[in-house]
Amino acid sequence: MRSPSIGRRARPAYPVLLLVAALAAGCAPGDRPTSAPGNSWQGPSTRATGARPTEPAVPTASAAPPTPAPSPTRTDVPHVFPVRAGNVAYHPTHSAYPGTDIFADCGEPVVAVTDGVILEVSRVDRFSRRGPLGPYNGGLSVSLLGDDGVRYYGSHLSAIATGVDAGVRVRAGQQLGKVGRTGNANNVCHLHFGLSPKCTGHDDWWIRRGVVWPAKYLDSWRKRGNRSPAAEVTAWQRRHGCPKVPTDSAAAG
């Protein structure tokens, strides 16, 4: 018997076969076309199957170990007047460079202005008027790096307290030594006091002795205020850096 389909025009079967093959492969509209391995980059399938991509993950910036941020300088540190005595006087200016001479009787306590770490200690008076002038002008001296980033320097001491050595941590008000007249003090009992940034890599006595005027801060601390020199010292260092030569080697301090 003749089939009813005989004599009708047969439709090509390959479009149907291609559609079946595509569905079986899981392709969806908008997928990136595949190509032979090694010819081009092939992204992961967009099928929601939960399977992990077979390609290695592309490294991102977040994969690198984090770089620690620098520790911020403390701005809440306490400050106290550097000489603990009833009879004290000082001038708002100083000869040749910024600093202050605080006059008090020899033997009066010299204390840490703020919390910090001892940087340098000189326990031997090497000053000689034959020179060199400058490096040894301070006689017995102590410098302290405060937690606010400021270096506090006191010199012409008659003695330095036991246990006050480089690297030792001290608190505001802790005794560091005693007022004296060692070094180039012109035989007058006083404490030379200087404010500066911490500079490394060389003996920077010409910076350590003082770069900003201390009087307004001393005025505050004497009245139990807490004015900080950190901003002014930081601004000075931005402008000048750490000068490698002194401007006046003969000045006291």
Side-chain angles (χ1 to χ4, degrees):
M1 181 177 177
R2 186 178 181 182
S3 169
S5 62
I6 296 176
R8 296 181 183 177
R9 185 177 178 181
R11 295 183 178 181
Y14 63 85
V16 176
L17 295 176
L18 287 176
L19 178 60
V20 171
L23 292 175
C27 292
D31 280 349
R32 183 184 299 271
T34 60
S35 59
N39 292 338
S40 63
W41 182 87
Q42 182 176 353
S45 170
T46 57
R47 287 180 296 169
T49 62
R52 299 176 64 89
T54 57
E55 290 81 7
V58 178
T60 63
S62 61
T67 301
S71 301
T73 301
R74 282 182 55 191
T75 58
D76 60 340
V77 296
H79 295 83
V80 300
F81 196 80
V83 177
R84 192 166 60 228
N87 186 19
V88 178
Y90 54 90
H91 299 298
T93 60
H94 187 274
S95 63
Y97 63 92
T100 296
D101 288 334
I102 303 174
F103 299 94
D105 292 337
C106 281
E108 296 286 18
V110 173
V111 302
V113 171
T114 191
D115 300 345
V117 176
I118 300 297
L119 284 176
E120 297 169 289
V121 176
S122 173
R123 295 181 180 273
V124 178
D125 186 358
R126 295 184 174 89
F127 173 73
S128 170
R129 294 205 175 273
R130 295 190 299 270
L133 296 179
Y136 304 131
N137 277 357
L140 275 62
S141 63
V142 177
S143 65
L144 162 70
L145 179 63
D147 288 348
D148 56 1
V150 176
R151 175 169 49 179
Y152 299 87
Y153 172 69
S155 63
H156 305 313
L157 304 176
S158 61
I160 295 175
T162 302
V164 174
D165 298 298
V168 172
R169 183 161 185 82
V170 295
R171 303 297 300 271
Q174 180 176 334
Q175 185 168 351
L176 303 181
K178 296 179 180 180
V179 173
R181 52 190 177 189
T182 58
N184 192 11
N186 294 317
N187 204 32
V188 177
C189 295
H190 72 281
L191 174 73
H192 172 81
F193 182 71
L195 303 171
S196 67
K198 177 181 180 294
C199 293
T200 58
H202 55 273
D203 179 15
D204 61 340
W205 56 265
W206 54 92
I207 302 172
R208 181 183 60 210
R209 67 189 180 181
V211 298
V212 301
W213 295 105
K216 59 187 174 183
Y217 305 107
L218 293 170
D219 291 344
S220 172
W221 304 336
R222 196 173 189 182
K223 297 175 182 177
R224 300 186 182 276
N226 198 37
R227 189 170 186 174
S228 172
E232 187 178 3
V233 169
T234 299
W236 183 92
Q237 189 174 23
R238 287 198 190 103
R239 293 192 304 269
H240 302 281
C242 289
K244 295 184 178 180
V245 293
T247 56
D248 183 0
S249 62

